[in-house]
Amino acid sequence: MGRVLMRQWLALSRLGHTVHPLSQIIDAPATRAALARMLAVDDPARLLSVVRVGRPAEPPPPSARRVR
């Protein structure tokens, strides 16, 4: 599933979206179960990742990891 998740993040990035992982939400069993109920997911263990996606309010600063 890691490859699928990475492809989704890269596709969203290409479309100009920012992805912010919120996996701590599903680290707690009670929260994971509550989220599974809200999303009508039968098995809470199937929730592998939670992310917030959106467009930045202003252009992001250039990454220090990128060489131009």
Side-chain angles (χ1 to χ4, degrees):
M1 291 309 296
R3 288 176 114 175
V4 173
L5 182 61
M6 185 57 70
R7 281 191 210 130
Q8 290 172 346
W9 285 9
L10 291 172
L12 288 165
S13 180
R14 274 193 304 277
L15 295 172
H17 294 287
T18 301
V19 179
H20 181 104
L22 299 170
S23 296
Q24 68 273 20
I25 291 172
I26 58 175
D27 286 344
T31 309
R32 179 184 281 240
L35 183 59
R37 280 192 304 276
M38 284 190 272
L39 298 174
V41 174
D42 294 335
D43 181 8
R46 292 184 63 208
L47 296 175
L48 302 177
S49 180
V50 177
V51 297
R52 178 173 50 192
V53 177
R55 293 190 184 270
E58 53 190 57
S63 171
R65 291 179 273 172
R66 273 191 152 161
V67 178
R68 292 183 184 224

